[in-house]
Amino acid sequence: EAQVTQNPRYLITVTGKKLTVTCSQNMNHEYMSWYRQDPGLGLRQIYYSMNVEVTDKGDVPEGYKVSRKEKRNFPLILESPSPNQTSLYFCASSKRLAVTGELFFGEGSRLTVL
Amino acid sequence: SQQGEEDPQALSIQEGENATMNCSYKTSINNLQWYRQNSGRGLVHLILIRSNEREKHSGRLRVTLDTSKKSSSLLITASRAADTASYFCATANTGNQFYFGTGTSLTVIP
């Protein structure tokens, strides 16, 4: 089954404790991206990647890192989480260029930073 | 911010009625897409309309695009309780970034 898998789905952590949210897709998609969703603000793009070893900042990259060492994986790293990073995070992927195709979303990772 | 905006923010209708939601955006686009999100779940792609298209249909969905006004509308005909969800428009520019609107929350009352 074609899917985007995120882990963990739910996480409560404390300020400053590094964490990684994994994202994996089995559709051989070139394009992958991360979003955060906050009430009243919709989805905002954090980072995106056009292919292996190619990553670019989205609208809200501060406090986040990503890497794309393999085509299927695109982890989101919070080196020193802060309470304002409490949010619902989504990973998404798309075939070829994002401008020509639809995004496939994971089920989301709800992160709480205390 | 280059985010779009949906209007209305919330919409409540009776089952069988039509639901119309609108999206305005700010920049030139290659395409505009509509997504649906059930509460707390991932977004699901509904329909894509390219910048050179004016109208597109898919089942009970009808999307229009007016690039001169930088706006789009999504019409869901003969709504069902299962259509209850949030609906987002998303625009893609030449820079391969997606910009999502703030969403319309649709409630269909059985």
Side-chain angles (χ1 to χ4, degrees):
Chain A
E1 179 187 354
Q3 59 186 1
V4 178
T5 304
Q6 296 179 227
N7 280 297
R9 294 287 314 281
Y10 301 91
L11 179 63
I12 300 174
T13 190
V14 296
T15 299
K17 186 175 181 181
K18 180 180 177 180
L19 67 93
T20 299
V21 185
T22 63
C23 174
S24 181
Q25 50 92 6
N26 63 0
M27 295 169 280
N28 201 36
H29 284 170
E30 283 84 0
Y31 183 94
M32 297 187 75
S33 59
W34 276 102
Y35 298 85
R36 61 178 289 173
Q37 184 175 27
D38 302 288
L41 296 178
L43 279 85
R44 293 178 291 168
Q45 191 172 47
I46 304 171
Y47 270 94
Y48 64 98
S49 170
M50 296 298 296
N51 214 322
V52 176
E53 302 293 359
V54 180
T55 62
D56 283 290
K57 295 178 180 179
D59 281 342
V60 288
E62 296 78 17
Y64 305 95
K65 285 175 58 177
V66 292
S67 68
R68 189 90 182 271
K69 293 184 171 59
E70 304 166 282
K71 196 172 187 179
R72 64 182 293 130
N73 296 322
F74 191 45
L76 179 69
I77 303 157
L78 286 72
E79 293 271 3
S80 183
S82 62
N84 64 11
Q85 291 179 298
T86 292
S87 188
L88 178 58
Y89 291 86
F90 288 100
C91 179
S93 70
S94 180
K95 185 178 179 181
R96 294 183 180 176
L97 295 177
V99 293
T100 58
E102 67 182 89
L103 284 170
F104 292 82
F105 280 82
E107 284 298 301
S109 296
R110 188 169 292 279
L111 171 65
T112 301
V113 183
L114 302 176
Chain B
S1 169
Q2 300 187 52
Q3 272 189 304
E5 288 187 6
E6 277 94 343
D7 170 59
Q9 288 188 337
L11 179 61
S12 184
I13 59 174
Q14 294 290 132
E15 200 166 31
E17 294 180 336
N18 296 341
T20 299
M21 49 205 88
N22 304 296
C23 166
S24 61
Y25 58 91
K26 298 179 181 178
T27 63
S28 297
I29 61 172
N30 281 315
N31 66 64
L32 184 143
Q33 304 178 32
W34 284 90
Y35 287 81
R36 166 197 168 120
Q37 182 184 34
N38 286 70
S39 181
R41 304 292 299 276
L43 281 74
V44 176
H45 180 264
L46 293 176
I47 192 167
L48 179 152
I49 185 166
R50 303 196 187 285
S51 58
N52 61 352
E53 297 176 311
R54 292 297 168 257
E55 186 171 314
K56 200 162 184 180
H57 296 254
S58 177
R60 294 185 294 113
L61 305 180
R62 171 177 168 254
V63 171
T64 62
L65 179 64
D66 186 334
T67 53
S68 66
K69 295 180 179 178
K70 291 187 167 59
S71 67
S72 173
S73 67
L74 171 68
L75 168 68
I76 304 173
T77 60
S79 62
R80 306 166 181 167
D83 294 329
T84 294
S86 291
Y87 293 83
F88 294 87
C89 67
T91 55
N93 62 15
T94 55
N96 295 310
Q97 284 191 260
F98 275 81
Y99 297 100
F100 283 84
T102 50
T104 291
S105 177
L106 172 65
T107 301
V108 181
I109 303 166

